[in-house]
Amino acid sequence: MIQRIMSLGILRRGSVPGSYIPKIGGCYFGTQAASYLQDACESSNYSPMDHENPDVDWNNLGFGLMQTDYMYMMKCGKDEEFKQGQMSRYGSIELSPSAGVLNYGQGLFEGTKAYRREDGGVFLFRPQENALRMQNGAQRLCMPSPSVHQFVDAVKQTALANSRWIPPPGKGSLYVRPLLIGSGPILGLAPASEYTFLVYASPVGNYFKEGTAPLNLYVEEEFHRATRGGAGGVKSISNYAPVLKAISRARDRGFSDVLYLDSVNKRNIEEVSSCNIFILKGNVLSTPAINGTILEGVTRKSIMDIASDLGYQVEESCIPIEELIDADEVFCTGTAVGVAPVGSITYKGNRIEYRMNTQIVSQKLSSRLIGILRGVIEDKRGWVVQID
Ligand code: COI
């Protein structure tokens, strides 16, 4: 089942929904996206260059920021609702030095990806889930949030406006980054007086510099990612800077990333810096339960459903670190990371190694997820949304 979503005010100038032309003049570009761009960006220096193929080595995409053409922006006041946003050229934004986000970290981010299929069609994966997660986070951080429709529409507009940056099928995706920030000035600790919802995008490939090689994780005992009652369960920007030190220490020692323990008992596994974690023992696939310190990943949820479909017993539970010792497999999931197998975990100086071959379960789950995205496996839950 493919959901097709239409966005607010996009279909103008006689463009026909679904009339996608995969390549024009050597460049992937849809007629709908082209016509929309002319409309949406008239006031923001629409450039004929925007039809040209970007000079990108699609075979070597990592997770570095690549500046694309357009971004979406929408503002509202403290006790207001978001109303109408607009596309503009990608560029710096102006912020007061006393903006709530700069001073008190009042901000959330999201991440979702736009993919191109063999037939040229452009697809998003469960963007409504990101919208709902942002709404949840906004409540936690006392911010107004865009409606699900506004959020998904903004993601769609941003992906289509930057469609020449969506990698060819199988080469990567366009990572779309929505942000919700307290942009109004504030001095005393309080919610900001104005909020900005912004969406930009960048083409990406593998998140880890190791590419698709198994990850070597280091279990961190000194630093914690989240605390009970804190904001670890929502995608607050303030959850990420505190792990930079742990990541850089681990990388200096040759590890790919860090696995964090719960901050109360220092015993139960929680998350990796940028992704959720799963462990497999026999037919049982477990992942830490959502308890306020675990981010409810969209890929996490999807992999749980796929694993159930394949006959695995899926459990959300409290997982003591000792369970890693006799696990058959460990893997990570996340929008940026995808499904990444773990080759080893080092805890208190001991390295636990996991089997790696083409038969591993994480590979099977990953292939199924990719198959759904590519349209070669039935999307029975309506996860994939065609946007062009
Ligand atoms: C994502 O997976 O989209 C994330 O937000 C992780 C981020 C640290 C790149």
Side-chain angles (χ1 to χ4, degrees):
M1 184 196 341
I2 291 176
Q3 265 177 281
R4 188 184 279 274
I5 51 171
M6 294 301 159
S7 65
L8 298 165
I10 283 192
L11 290 172
R12 285 178 285 173
R13 292 212 176 146
S15 59
V16 182
S19 62
Y20 188 81
I21 298 175
K23 258 188 159 191
I24 304 172
C27 168
Y28 285 102
F29 212 81
T31 46
Q32 188 186 333
S35 122
Y36 163 62
L37 264 184
Q38 272 157 342
D39 269 6
C41 302
E42 254 159 17
S43 58
S44 50
N45 303 325
Y46 171 78
S47 156
M49 289 275 288
D50 296 346
H51 287 273
E52 282 181 12
N53 233 346
D55 185 17
V56 176
D57 178 0
W58 299 120
N59 293 316
N60 286 301
L61 283 174
F63 206 84
L65 180 69
M66 222 174 266
Q67 186 170 318
T68 54
D69 303 321
Y70 295 96
M71 62 187 193
Y72 176 96
M73 193 135 83
M74 176 160 72
K75 286 179 189 273
C76 82
K78 182 163 160 268
D79 299 313
E80 292 170 9
E81 288 184 353
F82 284 103
K83 287 204 180 72
Q84 180 73 48
Q86 63 177 46
M87 300 296 299
S88 60
R89 286 211 77 90
Y90 177 91
S92 301
I93 58 168
E94 195 167 287
L95 271 184
S96 160
S98 53
V101 65
L102 295 181
N103 292 262
Y104 299 124
Q106 198 187 17
L108 292 165
F109 77 90
E110 272 301 328
T112 186
K113 284 173 169 173
Y115 299 85
R116 191 182 298 287
R117 281 190 185 167
E118 296 292 342
D119 65 359
V122 178
F123 295 82
L124 297 172
F125 186 71
R126 308 185 76 178
Q128 301 91 335
E129 295 294 327
N130 298 88
L132 291 169
R133 190 167 66 182
M134 178 168 271
Q135 289 190 337
N136 217 9
Q139 271 189 8
R140 177 69 182 81
L141 301 191
C142 296
M143 301 195 280
S145 58
S147 68
V148 171
H149 180 70
Q150 286 171 326
F151 179 102
V152 174
D153 186 58
V155 167
K156 173 185 171 175
Q157 290 194 46
T158 308
L160 287 182
N162 293 300
S163 89
R164 71 187 182 122
W165 298 93
I166 305 176
K171 302 286 185 194
S173 58
L174 185 72
Y175 184 79
V176 183
R177 170 55 64 85
L179 286 173
L180 178 62
I181 57 172
S183 45
I186 192 90
L187 190 56
L189 180 55
S193 52
E194 180 206 71
Y195 293 85
T196 300
F197 173 63
L198 196 150
V199 188
Y200 67 92
S202 175
V204 296
N206 285 318
Y207 181 76
F208 290 105
K209 69 171 182 353
E210 291 85 339
T212 52
L215 306 177
N216 296 306
L217 300 181
Y218 177 81
V219 180
E220 175 60 56
E221 292 181 83
E222 185 185 354
F223 299 121
H224 295 282
R225 185 195 154 269
T227 53
R228 285 287 170 102
V234 300
K235 222 162 164 53
S236 168
I237 59 171
S238 58
N239 292 335
Y240 293 83
V243 298
L244 295 177
K245 187 159 183 150
I247 299 175
S248 89
R249 246 175 19 179
R251 293 218 171 122
D252 287 349
R253 296 176 189 162
F255 296 100
S256 325
D257 210 327
V258 175
L259 171 59
Y260 300 90
L261 298 176
D262 78 283
S263 64
V264 178
N265 304 299
K266 301 184 189 292
R267 176 160 181 256
N268 304 314
I269 62 168
E270 295 222 310
E271 271 188 43
V272 175
S273 313
S274 53
C275 45
N276 297 114
I277 189 158
F278 281 85
I279 72 168
L280 180 78
K281 178 71 184 163
N283 192 47
V284 180
L285 184 65
S286 324
T287 191
I290 301 299
N291 60 1
T293 58
I294 306 293
L295 187 78
E296 209 168 343
V298 179
T299 313
R300 174 186 179 276
K301 261 192 207 181
S302 310
I303 286 296
M304 285 167 58
D305 285 342
I306 291 173
S308 297
D309 291 349
L310 293 178
Y312 292 93
Q313 185 185 325
V314 179
E315 291 181 353
E316 293 179 85
S317 54
C318 178
I319 307 179
I321 180 92
E322 293 77 27
E323 289 195 18
L324 291 175
I325 296 170
D326 58 349
D328 297 331
E329 259 184 61
V330 178
F331 62 90
C332 297
T333 62
T335 298
V337 165
V339 178
V342 173
S344 77
I345 298 185
T346 299
Y347 176 53
K348 289 192 187 295
N350 298 314
R351 184 177 168 106
I352 313 161
E353 303 217 332
Y354 300 98
R355 69 177 176 195
M356 279 304 138
N357 55 50
T358 48
Q359 311 300 316
I360 55 174
V361 172
S362 64
Q363 180 60 47
K364 198 157 82 175
L365 298 171
S366 169
S367 303
R368 221 172 154 87
L369 181 64
I370 293 170
I372 294 170
L373 281 168
R374 290 205 180 137
V376 296
I377 292 178
E378 189 197 355
D379 175 21
K380 59 182 186 184
R381 295 187 175 85
W383 285 345
V384 176
V385 177
Q386 181 161 14
I387 60 167
D388 59 329

